[in-house]
PDB file of all heavy atoms in Angstrom:
ATOM      1  N   GLY A 266       0.775  -1.224   0.000  1.00  0.00           N
ATOM      2  CA  GLY A 266       0.000   0.000   0.000  1.00  0.00           C
ATOM      3  C   GLY A 266       0.807   1.275   0.000  1.00  0.00           C
ATOM      4  O   GLY A 266       0.220   2.365   0.062  1.00  0.00           O
ATOM      5  N   LYS A 267       2.127   1.175  -0.063  1.00  0.00           N
ATOM      6  CA  LYS A 267       2.979   2.349  -0.058  1.00  0.00           C
ATOM      7  C   LYS A 267       3.875   2.376  -1.289  1.00  0.00           C
ATOM      8  O   LYS A 267       4.093   1.362  -1.940  1.00  0.00           O
ATOM      9  CB  LYS A 267       3.828   2.394   1.212  1.00  0.00           C
ATOM     10  CG  LYS A 267       3.026   2.539   2.490  1.00  0.00           C
ATOM     11  CD  LYS A 267       3.928   2.738   3.691  1.00  0.00           C
ATOM     12  CE  LYS A 267       3.126   2.965   4.954  1.00  0.00           C
ATOM     13  NZ  LYS A 267       4.003   3.181   6.130  1.00  0.00           N
ATOM     14  N   GLN A 268       4.393   3.564  -1.587  1.00  0.00           N
ATOM     15  CA  GLN A 268       5.283   3.730  -2.721  1.00  0.00           C
ATOM     16  C   GLN A 268       6.677   3.208  -2.396  1.00  0.00           C
ATOM     17  O   GLN A 268       7.098   3.185  -1.240  1.00  0.00           O
ATOM     18  CB  GLN A 268       5.359   5.202  -3.128  1.00  0.00           C
ATOM     19  CG  GLN A 268       4.059   5.773  -3.681  1.00  0.00           C
ATOM     20  CD  GLN A 268       4.222   7.199  -4.159  1.00  0.00           C
ATOM     21  OE1 GLN A 268       5.050   7.945  -3.640  1.00  0.00           O
ATOM     22  NE2 GLN A 268       3.431   7.573  -5.151  1.00  0.00           N
ATOM     23  N   ARG A 269       7.381   2.805  -3.438  1.00  0.00           N
ATOM     24  CA  ARG A 269       8.753   2.387  -3.263  1.00  0.00           C
ATOM     25  C   ARG A 269       9.617   3.581  -2.872  1.00  0.00           C
ATOM     26  O   ARG A 269       9.472   4.676  -3.424  1.00  0.00           O
ATOM     27  CB  ARG A 269       9.273   1.750  -4.551  1.00  0.00           C
ATOM     28  CG  ARG A 269      10.652   1.131  -4.433  1.00  0.00           C
ATOM     29  CD  ARG A 269      11.030   0.371  -5.699  1.00  0.00           C
ATOM     30  NE  ARG A 269      10.124  -0.732  -5.961  1.00  0.00           N
ATOM     31  CZ  ARG A 269      10.285  -1.612  -6.941  1.00  0.00           C
ATOM     32  NH1 ARG A 269      11.335  -1.533  -7.746  1.00  0.00           N
ATOM     33  NH2 ARG A 269       9.392  -2.581  -7.115  1.00  0.00           N
ATOM     34  N   GLU A 270      10.520   3.375  -1.916  1.00  0.00           N
ATOM     35  CA  GLU A 270      11.358   4.454  -1.435  1.00  0.00           C
ATOM     36  C   GLU A 270      12.819   4.028  -1.402  1.00  0.00           C
ATOM     37  O   GLU A 270      13.142   2.855  -1.219  1.00  0.00           O
ATOM     38  CB  GLU A 270      10.921   4.910  -0.039  1.00  0.00           C
ATOM     39  CG  GLU A 270      11.053   3.844   1.032  1.00  0.00           C
ATOM     40  CD  GLU A 270      10.697   4.338   2.414  1.00  0.00           C
ATOM     41  OE1 GLU A 270      10.494   5.548   2.591  1.00  0.00           O
ATOM     42  OE2 GLU A 270      10.619   3.494   3.347  1.00  0.00           O
ATOM     43  N   SER A 271      13.683   5.009  -1.550  1.00  0.00           N
ATOM     44  CA  SER A 271      15.107   4.760  -1.472  1.00  0.00           C
ATOM     45  C   SER A 271      15.530   4.583  -0.021  1.00  0.00           C
ATOM     46  O   SER A 271      15.109   5.334   0.853  1.00  0.00           O
ATOM     47  CB  SER A 271      15.885   5.920  -2.101  1.00  0.00           C
ATOM     48  OG  SER A 271      17.278   5.743  -1.954  1.00  0.00           O
ATOM     49  N   VAL A 272      16.387   3.594   0.228  1.00  0.00           N
ATOM     50  CA  VAL A 272      16.891   3.308   1.564  1.00  0.00           C
ATOM     51  C   VAL A 272      18.335   3.773   1.712  1.00  0.00           C
ATOM     52  O   VAL A 272      18.680   4.478   2.656  1.00  0.00           O
ATOM     53  CB  VAL A 272      16.787   1.814   1.895  1.00  0.00           C
ATOM     54  CG1 VAL A 272      17.389   1.516   3.266  1.00  0.00           C
ATOM     55  CG2 VAL A 272      15.331   1.361   1.842  1.00  0.00           C
ATOM     56  N   ALA A 273      19.185   3.361   0.786  1.00  0.00           N
ATOM     57  CA  ALA A 273      20.600   3.704   0.846  1.00  0.00           C
ATOM     58  C   ALA A 273      21.231   3.491  -0.513  1.00  0.00           C
ATOM     59  O   ALA A 273      20.737   2.708  -1.320  1.00  0.00           O
ATOM     60  CB  ALA A 273      21.324   2.863   1.903  1.00  0.00           C
ATOM     61  N   SER A 274      22.330   4.182  -0.766  1.00  0.00           N
ATOM     62  CA  SER A 274      23.073   4.013  -2.001  1.00  0.00           C
ATOM     63  C   SER A 274      24.556   4.191  -1.733  1.00  0.00           C
ATOM     64  O   SER A 274      24.951   4.791  -0.729  1.00  0.00           O
ATOM     65  CB  SER A 274      22.598   4.998  -3.077  1.00  0.00           C
ATOM     66  OG  SER A 274      22.875   6.331  -2.690  1.00  0.00           O
ATOM     67  N   ILE A 275      25.363   3.672  -2.657  1.00  0.00           N
ATOM     68  CA  ILE A 275      26.810   3.789  -2.528  1.00  0.00           C
ATOM     69  C   ILE A 275      27.430   3.843  -3.916  1.00  0.00           C
ATOM     70  O   ILE A 275      27.041   3.102  -4.820  1.00  0.00           O
ATOM     71  CB  ILE A 275      27.389   2.621  -1.694  1.00  0.00           C
ATOM     72  CG1 ILE A 275      28.888   2.812  -1.477  1.00  0.00           C
ATOM     73  CG2 ILE A 275      27.075   1.282  -2.333  1.00  0.00           C
ATOM     74  CD1 ILE A 275      29.466   1.856  -0.440  1.00  0.00           C
ATOM     75  N   THR A 276      28.392   4.737  -4.103  1.00  0.00           N
ATOM     76  CA  THR A 276      29.098   4.848  -5.368  1.00  0.00           C
ATOM     77  C   THR A 276      30.270   3.884  -5.403  1.00  0.00           C
ATOM     78  O   THR A 276      30.646   3.293  -4.388  1.00  0.00           O
ATOM     79  CB  THR A 276      29.606   6.277  -5.598  1.00  0.00           C
ATOM     80  OG1 THR A 276      30.695   6.540  -4.692  1.00  0.00           O
ATOM     81  CG2 THR A 276      28.508   7.299  -5.373  1.00  0.00           C
ATOM     82  N   ASP A 277      30.870   3.738  -6.593  1.00  0.00           N
ATOM     83  CA  ASP A 277      32.034   2.865  -6.698  1.00  0.00           C
ATOM     84  C   ASP A 277      33.232   3.438  -5.951  1.00  0.00           C
ATOM     85  O   ASP A 277      34.206   2.723  -5.720  1.00  0.00           O
ATOM     86  CB  ASP A 277      32.391   2.589  -8.162  1.00  0.00           C
ATOM     87  CG  ASP A 277      32.574   3.850  -8.984  1.00  0.00           C
ATOM     88  OD1 ASP A 277      32.504   4.960  -8.434  1.00  0.00           O
ATOM     89  OD2 ASP A 277      32.779   3.709 -10.211  1.00  0.00           O
ATOM     90  N   GLY A 278      33.168   4.714  -5.587  1.00  0.00           N
ATOM     91  CA  GLY A 278      34.196   5.337  -4.780  1.00  0.00           C
ATOM     92  C   GLY A 278      33.923   5.305  -3.288  1.00  0.00           C
ATOM     93  O   GLY A 278      34.731   5.831  -2.508  1.00  0.00           O
ATOM     94  N   GLY A 279      32.800   4.722  -2.878  1.00  0.00           N
ATOM     95  CA  GLY A 279      32.502   4.565  -1.468  1.00  0.00           C
ATOM     96  C   GLY A 279      31.672   5.674  -0.846  1.00  0.00           C
ATOM     97  O   GLY A 279      31.498   5.699   0.377  1.00  0.00           O
ATOM     98  N   ILE A 280      31.155   6.597  -1.643  1.00  0.00           N
ATOM     99  CA  ILE A 280      30.300   7.654  -1.111  1.00  0.00           C
ATOM    100  C   ILE A 280      28.908   7.096  -0.856  1.00  0.00           C
ATOM    101  O   ILE A 280      28.298   6.501  -1.740  1.00  0.00           O
ATOM    102  CB  ILE A 280      30.231   8.842  -2.075  1.00  0.00           C
ATOM    103  CG1 ILE A 280      31.630   9.418  -2.309  1.00  0.00           C
ATOM    104  CG2 ILE A 280      29.295   9.918  -1.546  1.00  0.00           C
ATOM    105  CD1 ILE A 280      31.681  10.496  -3.359  1.00  0.00           C
ATOM    106  N   THR A 281      28.400   7.291   0.357  1.00  0.00           N
ATOM    107  CA  THR A 281      27.122   6.709   0.761  1.00  0.00           C
ATOM    108  C   THR A 281      26.068   7.771   0.996  1.00  0.00           C
ATOM    109  O   THR A 281      26.367   8.936   1.279  1.00  0.00           O
ATOM    110  CB  THR A 281      27.278   5.875   2.034  1.00  0.00           C
ATOM    111  OG1 THR A 281      27.768   6.710   3.096  1.00  0.00           O
ATOM    112  CG2 THR A 281      28.248   4.729   1.821  1.00  0.00           C
ATOM    113  N   ASN A 282      24.813   7.339   0.893  1.00  0.00           N
ATOM    114  CA  ASN A 282      23.673   8.189   1.180  1.00  0.00           C
ATOM    115  C   ASN A 282      22.589   7.328   1.810  1.00  0.00           C
ATOM    116  O   ASN A 282      22.364   6.192   1.378  1.00  0.00           O
ATOM    117  CB  ASN A 282      23.156   8.857  -0.090  1.00  0.00           C
ATOM    118  CG  ASN A 282      22.079   9.871   0.194  1.00  0.00           C
ATOM    119  OD1 ASN A 282      22.301  10.836   0.913  1.00  0.00           O
ATOM    120  ND2 ASN A 282      20.895   9.666  -0.374  1.00  0.00           N
ATOM    121  N   TYR A 283      21.913   7.866   2.839  1.00  0.00           N
ATOM    122  CA  TYR A 283      20.904   7.116   3.565  1.00  0.00           C
ATOM    123  C   TYR A 283      19.626   7.923   3.714  1.00  0.00           C
ATOM    124  O   TYR A 283      19.657   9.144   3.860  1.00  0.00           O
ATOM    125  CB  TYR A 283      21.393   6.744   4.969  1.00  0.00           C
ATOM    126  CG  TYR A 283      22.585   5.829   5.002  1.00  0.00           C
ATOM    127  CD1 TYR A 283      23.878   6.341   5.072  1.00  0.00           C
ATOM    128  CD2 TYR A 283      22.422   4.450   4.965  1.00  0.00           C
ATOM    129  CE1 TYR A 283      24.971   5.504   5.102  1.00  0.00           C
ATOM    130  CE2 TYR A 283      23.514   3.603   4.994  1.00  0.00           C
ATOM    131  CZ  TYR A 283      24.786   4.136   5.065  1.00  0.00           C
ATOM    132  OH  TYR A 283      25.879   3.296   5.098  1.00  0.00           O
ATOM    133  N   ALA A 284      18.510   7.215   3.704  1.00  0.00           N
ATOM    134  CA  ALA A 284      17.250   7.833   4.068  1.00  0.00           C
ATOM    135  C   ALA A 284      17.278   8.210   5.547  1.00  0.00           C
ATOM    136  O   ALA A 284      17.898   7.526   6.364  1.00  0.00           O
ATOM    137  CB  ALA A 284      16.086   6.884   3.795  1.00  0.00           C
ATOM    138  N   ASP A 285      16.601   9.298   5.894  1.00  0.00           N
ATOM    139  CA  ASP A 285      16.597   9.749   7.286  1.00  0.00           C
ATOM    140  C   ASP A 285      16.073   8.674   8.235  1.00  0.00           C
ATOM    141  O   ASP A 285      16.526   8.571   9.379  1.00  0.00           O
ATOM    142  CB  ASP A 285      15.747  11.013   7.430  1.00  0.00           C
ATOM    143  CG  ASP A 285      16.397  12.230   6.809  1.00  0.00           C
ATOM    144  OD1 ASP A 285      17.624  12.219   6.590  1.00  0.00           O
ATOM    145  OD2 ASP A 285      15.675  13.210   6.547  1.00  0.00           O
ATOM    146  N   SER A 286      15.148   7.874   7.775  1.00  0.00           N
ATOM    147  CA  SER A 286      14.523   6.873   8.617  1.00  0.00           C
ATOM    148  C   SER A 286      15.454   5.735   9.024  1.00  0.00           C
ATOM    149  O   SER A 286      15.156   4.998   9.969  1.00  0.00           O
ATOM    150  CB  SER A 286      13.284   6.293   7.928  1.00  0.00           C
ATOM    151  OG  SER A 286      13.632   5.686   6.700  1.00  0.00           O
ATOM    152  N   VAL A 287      16.583   5.578   8.326  1.00  0.00           N
ATOM    153  CA  VAL A 287      17.491   4.469   8.621  1.00  0.00           C
ATOM    154  C   VAL A 287      18.873   4.925   9.060  1.00  0.00           C
ATOM    155  O   VAL A 287      19.716   4.083   9.385  1.00  0.00           O
ATOM    156  CB  VAL A 287      17.625   3.514   7.424  1.00  0.00           C
ATOM    157  CG1 VAL A 287      16.255   3.036   6.964  1.00  0.00           C
ATOM    158  CG2 VAL A 287      18.371   4.175   6.278  1.00  0.00           C
ATOM    159  N   LYS A 288      19.111   6.210   9.093  1.00  0.00           N
ATOM    160  CA  LYS A 288      20.418   6.721   9.496  1.00  0.00           C
ATOM    161  C   LYS A 288      20.767   6.275  10.915  1.00  0.00           C
ATOM    162  O   LYS A 288      19.950   6.342  11.818  1.00  0.00           O
ATOM    163  CB  LYS A 288      20.446   8.247   9.416  1.00  0.00           C
ATOM    164  CG  LYS A 288      20.493   8.794   8.009  1.00  0.00           C
ATOM    165  CD  LYS A 288      20.549  10.312   8.003  1.00  0.00           C
ATOM    166  CE  LYS A 288      20.631  10.858   6.589  1.00  0.00           C
ATOM    167  NZ  LYS A 288      20.634  12.341   6.569  1.00  0.00           N
ATOM    168  N   GLY A 289      21.985   5.794  11.077  1.00  0.00           N
ATOM    169  CA  GLY A 289      22.435   5.313  12.366  1.00  0.00           C
ATOM    170  C   GLY A 289      22.089   3.873  12.642  1.00  0.00           C
ATOM    171  O   GLY A 289      22.593   3.299  13.618  1.00  0.00           O
ATOM    172  N   ARG A 290      21.252   3.272  11.808  1.00  0.00           N
ATOM    173  CA  ARG A 290      20.842   1.883  12.007  1.00  0.00           C
ATOM    174  C   ARG A 290      21.313   0.965  10.877  1.00  0.00           C
ATOM    175  O   ARG A 290      21.635  -0.197  11.119  1.00  0.00           O
ATOM    176  CB  ARG A 290      19.321   1.780  12.124  1.00  0.00           C
ATOM    177  CG  ARG A 290      18.747   2.578  13.290  1.00  0.00           C
ATOM    178  CD  ARG A 290      17.262   2.258  13.503  1.00  0.00           C
ATOM    179  NE  ARG A 290      16.449   2.635  12.349  1.00  0.00           N
ATOM    180  CZ  ARG A 290      15.706   1.786  11.638  1.00  0.00           C
ATOM    181  NH1 ARG A 290      15.673   0.502  11.977  1.00  0.00           N
ATOM    182  NH2 ARG A 290      14.990   2.224  10.614  1.00  0.00           N
ATOM    183  N   PHE A 291      21.321   1.470   9.648  1.00  0.00           N
ATOM    184  CA  PHE A 291      21.709   0.675   8.490  1.00  0.00           C
ATOM    185  C   PHE A 291      23.070   1.120   7.986  1.00  0.00           C
ATOM    186  O   PHE A 291      23.457   2.287   8.138  1.00  0.00           O
ATOM    187  CB  PHE A 291      20.704   0.828   7.354  1.00  0.00           C
ATOM    188  CG  PHE A 291      19.346   0.237   7.616  1.00  0.00           C
ATOM    189  CD1 PHE A 291      18.990  -0.268   8.858  1.00  0.00           C
ATOM    190  CD2 PHE A 291      18.409   0.197   6.598  1.00  0.00           C
ATOM    191  CE1 PHE A 291      17.737  -0.803   9.096  1.00  0.00           C
ATOM    192  CE2 PHE A 291      17.149  -0.336   6.812  1.00  0.00           C
ATOM    193  CZ  PHE A 291      16.812  -0.837   8.062  1.00  0.00           C
ATOM    194  N   ALA A 292      23.793   0.205   7.354  1.00  0.00           N
ATOM    195  CA  ALA A 292      25.079   0.515   6.742  1.00  0.00           C
ATOM    196  C   ALA A 292      25.194  -0.206   5.408  1.00  0.00           C
ATOM    197  O   ALA A 292      24.931  -1.405   5.329  1.00  0.00           O
ATOM    198  CB  ALA A 292      26.227   0.117   7.664  1.00  0.00           C
ATOM    199  N   ILE A 293      25.573   0.525   4.378  1.00  0.00           N
ATOM    200  CA  ILE A 293      25.716  -0.041   3.050  1.00  0.00           C
ATOM    201  C   ILE A 293      27.199  -0.127   2.693  1.00  0.00           C
ATOM    202  O   ILE A 293      27.988   0.743   3.062  1.00  0.00           O
ATOM    203  CB  ILE A 293      24.941   0.793   2.003  1.00  0.00           C
ATOM    204  CG1 ILE A 293      24.891   0.074   0.657  1.00  0.00           C
ATOM    205  CG2 ILE A 293      25.515   2.191   1.868  1.00  0.00           C
ATOM    206  CD1 ILE A 293      23.928   0.717  -0.334  1.00  0.00           C
ATOM    207  N   SER A 294      27.575  -1.184   1.987  1.00  0.00           N
ATOM    208  CA  SER A 294      28.960  -1.371   1.589  1.00  0.00           C
ATOM    209  C   SER A 294      29.027  -2.177   0.300  1.00  0.00           C
ATOM    210  O   SER A 294      28.050  -2.806  -0.108  1.00  0.00           O
ATOM    211  CB  SER A 294      29.763  -2.069   2.691  1.00  0.00           C
ATOM    212  OG  SER A 294      29.231  -3.355   2.965  1.00  0.00           O
ATOM    213  N   ARG A 295      30.210  -2.151  -0.347  1.00  0.00           N
ATOM    214  CA  ARG A 295      30.449  -2.924  -1.567  1.00  0.00           C
ATOM    215  C   ARG A 295      31.684  -3.790  -1.373  1.00  0.00           C
ATOM    216  O   ARG A 295      32.591  -3.444  -0.609  1.00  0.00           O
ATOM    217  CB  ARG A 295      30.644  -1.994  -2.764  1.00  0.00           C
ATOM    218  CG  ARG A 295      29.440  -1.157  -3.088  1.00  0.00           C
ATOM    219  CD  ARG A 295      29.701  -0.151  -4.188  1.00  0.00           C
ATOM    220  NE  ARG A 295      29.933  -0.787  -5.488  1.00  0.00           N
ATOM    221  CZ  ARG A 295      29.676  -0.200  -6.656  1.00  0.00           C
ATOM    222  NH1 ARG A 295      29.162   1.024  -6.683  1.00  0.00           N
ATOM    223  NH2 ARG A 295      29.944  -0.838  -7.780  1.00  0.00           N
ATOM    224  N   ASP A 296      31.717  -4.920  -2.080  1.00  0.00           N
ATOM    225  CA  ASP A 296      32.888  -5.785  -1.977  1.00  0.00           C
ATOM    226  C   ASP A 296      34.010  -5.266  -2.871  1.00  0.00           C
ATOM    227  O   ASP A 296      33.824  -4.323  -3.656  1.00  0.00           O
ATOM    228  CB  ASP A 296      32.523  -7.238  -2.292  1.00  0.00           C
ATOM    229  CG  ASP A 296      32.209  -7.484  -3.750  1.00  0.00           C
ATOM    230  OD1 ASP A 296      32.320  -6.562  -4.576  1.00  0.00           O
ATOM    231  OD2 ASP A 296      31.825  -8.626  -4.068  1.00  0.00           O
TER     232      ASP A 296
END
């Protein structure tokens, strides 16, 4: 019943971005 929303993203250089709702709780990384 809700729209799709962005949670987190990461560039190939390691720059990250998080939704306010998950900041401090989620962590994104790449191998």
Side-chain angles (χ1 to χ4, degrees):
K267 296 187 177 181
Q268 294 184 330
R269 187 173 298 185
E270 63 177 352
S271 176
V272 177
S274 65
I275 184 169
T276 71
D277 54 4
I280 300 174
T281 60
N282 187 60
Y283 297 93
D285 289 341
S286 60
V287 306
K288 287 181 179 178
R290 300 189 297 120
F291 292 7
I293 190 169
S294 61
R295 297 174 67 153
D296 71 3

